[in-house]
Amino acid sequence: MTNSSVELKYQNQSLQLPVFEGTEGEKGVDISQLRAKTGLITLDPGFVNTGSCTSGITFIDGDKGILRYRGIPIEVLAERSNFLETSYLLIYGKLPTADELEKFTQRVKRHTMLHEDIKRFYDGFPRDAHPMAILGSVVCSLSVFYQHETGDPAYLAELNRVRLLAKLPTIAAYAYKKSVGQPFIYPDNSRSYCENFLYMMFSTPAERYEVDPDLIDTLNLLLILHADHEQNCSTATVRMVQSSGASMWASITAGICALSGPLHGGANQEVIEMLEQIHADGGNVKKYVDLAKSKESSFRLMGFGHRVYKNFDPRAKIIKTACDKLLKKMKVADPLLDIAKQLEEAALKDSYFIEKKLYPNVDFYSGIIYRAMGIPVNAFTVMFALGRLPGWLAQAKELNEDKATKIGRPRQVYTGPALSDYTPIEKRKA
Ligand code: ACO
């Protein structure tokens, strides 16, 4: 808390609202006494100005394009870390020693398999089921396999965090295998986290499959870049569900469902579909930039704009470079990459996008990399979920350990009918 406060004057009353200051100087007005003292609540659709918690996990400065996990810049982690080390950093609050990382990695590897009965769940899904729906359903279903476990809640919470990290790639790879009609490939714990995922996705029992080390590195990079992003829609959802005391399985399922929306994680699928449409339409980039600007059209440039970043999204910069590098190495000439670059160039020169501070976000180039890796378009958001999982787990852990945590329960200002009579059915008018 700082020494400063905000004075609120309302109906001859004056109330001093204390100002809370974070480590990086960002300030929030503490309104916890507002309703008790004045009867007022705040109204902030979309929580544009509302801090729902204090958090020590991720720092974003949207104006300067800064993103840090536990104080470490994303650019540094992208260059030097791997996904499990970054997961450890997010969840436990510090970089692990070599011994801690080895133990954590081995623990995660112990839990990569799914209960055999879960495989039968996949039989019930239609072949063209969306993989995000499968991901959410199977994660939720896992809860019933562990529902009778008893013991120290902290130990069980830790075990379930490790289980989720270990099993999500297996669940995702099985969803892909189901969609292409190939046999499920069991995890191979001699492989690293990212290598094992690519192995489960793309190997078959019929042929030897070597995972390309460049794909492993690129996947590590993408997962690190997605690993946390403070109080975004899915993370806020995970926290909200967790605050009710619901299980970790339920909370992560809710996060997966929130992430699936096209304005959030689902945007990476929408970006490729949009680029495909522009390509099929002769590559007329200007037409789509104009459409996105038009008040008559609901079309938006997918992969553009962000609630927090108003300068550039540091993740998008890193992904664009990685995309160029991987496609060059794989000798892939993807026409969608050219269209994406033209679209970015056209939008960044356009006064509409400049004035509204709309820049490419994390989703703009990630899909082109996933395409080059062989990931089907409808599984792109699943890749986002794999990356975001440690962030969700870290945020849920932080919430559970925070003494200030209460069940999440926003207020509202009611705008429906005033007190009304119950009209008997025979007297009601259509
Ligand atoms: N294309 C065209 N216009 C846009 C775009 C876009 N991509 N994004 C925002 N705008 C316009 C809006 O029409 C609005 O204009 P107006 O003020 O004239 O009404 C203005 O910019 C502000 O947009 P809002 O939707 O109010 O901004 P908000 O912060 O609520 O939304 C969001 C941010 C959802 C990311 C938005 O920019 C968007 O829809 N982008 C496309 C979808 C996308 O890429 N989502 C992924 C985000 S990153 C992530 O979740 C991982």
Side-chain angles (χ1 to χ4, degrees):
M1 213 54 86
T2 61
N3 290 329
S4 56
S5 61
V6 169
E7 185 180 12
L8 179 81
K9 288 193 171 159
Y10 177 65
Q11 290 182 340
N12 302 326
Q13 292 185 66
S14 164
L15 179 66
Q16 292 297 327
L17 299 168
V19 172
F20 189 91
E21 184 169 342
T23 353
E24 295 290 339
E26 76 282 22
K27 297 183 184 67
V29 184
D30 178 351
I31 57 145
S32 50
Q33 294 301 307
L34 181 67
R35 187 168 171 276
K37 298 249 168 91
T38 65
L40 293 171
I41 61 165
T42 56
L43 196 55
D44 185 21
F47 308 122
V48 179
N49 305 287
T50 298
S52 58
C53 59
T54 60
S55 176
I57 300 172
T58 289
F59 172 69
I60 301 176
D61 183 329
D63 293 324
K64 294 191 184 137
I66 292 174
L67 169 62
R68 295 180 199 143
Y69 299 158
R70 303 284 189 185
I72 305 178
I74 192 65
E75 293 80 3
V76 176
L77 290 167
E79 193 169 326
R80 303 182 58 179
S81 189
N82 66 47
F83 181 60
L84 278 189
E85 183 186 67
T86 295
S87 301
Y88 188 105
L89 171 71
L90 286 167
I91 297 169
Y92 305 107
K94 66 174 199 76
L95 285 171
T97 62
D99 186 45
E100 285 165 339
L101 183 58
E102 175 59 20
K103 283 189 178 131
F104 180 61
T105 304
Q106 291 309 325
R107 287 197 71 201
V108 171
K109 284 187 174 180
R110 290 282 311 161
H111 293 277
T112 50
M113 286 197 296
L114 303 181
H115 193 290
E116 278 296 289
D117 289 347
I118 289 181
K119 285 200 328 201
R120 293 211 290 277
F121 287 37
Y122 286 79
D123 295 339
F125 293 120
R127 172 71 73 83
D128 62 351
H130 197 286
M132 274 302 266
I134 296 185
L135 198 72
S137 308
V138 176
V139 170
C140 195
S141 308
L142 277 178
S143 66
V144 297
F145 290 84
Y146 304 111
Q147 64 185 350
H148 298 304
E149 282 182 341
T150 52
D152 174 17
Y155 169 81
L156 290 177
E158 172 58 15
L159 180 58
N160 287 341
R161 274 191 287 274
V162 167
R163 282 174 173 153
L164 274 157
L165 271 175
K167 293 180 197 305
L168 210 66
T170 315
I171 298 169
Y174 282 12
Y176 171 66
K177 288 300 193 192
K178 159 89 189 184
S179 74
V180 290
Q182 290 179 2
F184 297 154
I185 300 294
Y186 284 107
D188 172 356
N189 292 344
S190 69
R191 296 169 190 267
S192 71
Y193 192 87
C194 289
E195 181 186 358
N196 187 36
F197 172 70
L198 293 167
Y199 164 77
M200 288 188 289
M201 286 286 285
F202 300 121
S203 67
T204 67
E207 280 173 16
R208 203 177 151 72
Y209 174 77
E210 294 299 334
V211 187
D212 180 340
D214 285 317
L215 292 192
I216 301 171
D217 289 349
T218 309
L219 183 57
N220 258 305
L221 174 78
L222 287 170
L223 297 188
I224 290 171
L225 295 178
H226 286 85
D228 193 48
H229 214 233
E230 50 120 303
Q231 305 313 313
N232 56 84
C233 177
S234 57
T235 304
T237 302
V238 169
R239 275 186 173 259
M240 176 67 98
V241 176
Q242 191 65 189
S243 80
S244 77
S247 73
M248 194 72 85
W249 311 103
S251 305
I252 300 301
T253 303
I256 291 169
C257 294
L259 187 72
S260 69
L263 296 187
H264 190 16
N268 57 13
Q269 173 174 346
E270 303 267 334
V271 170
I272 290 295
E273 286 168 358
M274 172 187 78
L275 295 175
E276 278 168 346
Q277 187 184 337
I278 300 174
H279 181 53
D281 199 10
N284 187 348
V285 163
K286 187 179 176 305
K287 175 177 162 189
Y288 288 87
V289 170
D290 289 344
L291 202 58
K293 288 159 43 179
S294 162
K295 284 275 166 218
E296 275 74 57
S297 153
S298 61
F299 175 81
R300 284 186 169 200
L301 277 195
M302 298 314 282
F304 258 78
H306 197 277
R307 173 62 62 77
V308 181
Y309 294 119
K310 300 297 174 196
N311 184 335
F312 66 93
D313 181 337
R315 302 166 301 174
K317 269 194 171 178
I318 300 170
I319 291 183
K320 186 179 177 186
T321 310
C323 184
D324 272 333
K325 201 172 137 197
L326 185 75
L327 267 62
K328 208 168 165 188
K329 190 252 151 183
M330 294 178 78
K331 299 191 174 61
V332 171
D334 189 341
L336 299 196
L337 180 59
D338 295 334
I339 291 180
K341 285 184 176 171
Q342 287 169 35
L343 203 56
E344 179 184 0
E345 204 185 328
L348 293 183
K349 276 198 247 156
D350 193 292
S351 60
Y352 173 95
F353 290 87
I354 295 169
E355 276 155 28
K356 293 188 190 295
K357 300 189 174 175
L358 301 169
Y359 296 87
N361 60 45
V362 68
D363 293 322
F364 195 64
Y365 286 104
S366 62
I368 296 173
I369 303 190
Y370 291 138
R371 236 164 88 95
M373 286 177 152
I375 311 274
V377 177
N378 70 355
F380 288 180
T381 315
V382 167
M383 304 305 294
F384 194 149
L386 294 184
R388 184 53 54 86
L389 179 64
W392 290 335
L393 297 173
Q395 299 271 351
K397 180 171 181 283
E398 182 177 69
L399 174 124
N400 290 330
E401 290 169 358
D402 185 348
K403 291 196 172 47
T405 293
K406 288 167 178 279
I407 183 168
R409 204 308 184 180
R411 294 259 171 190
Q412 63 163 19
V413 175
Y414 175 70
T415 57
L419 180 64
S420 308
D421 280 337
Y422 177 85
T423 314
I425 197 160
E426 63 281 5
K427 294 198 176 159
R428 289 176 211 162
K429 292 187 181 117

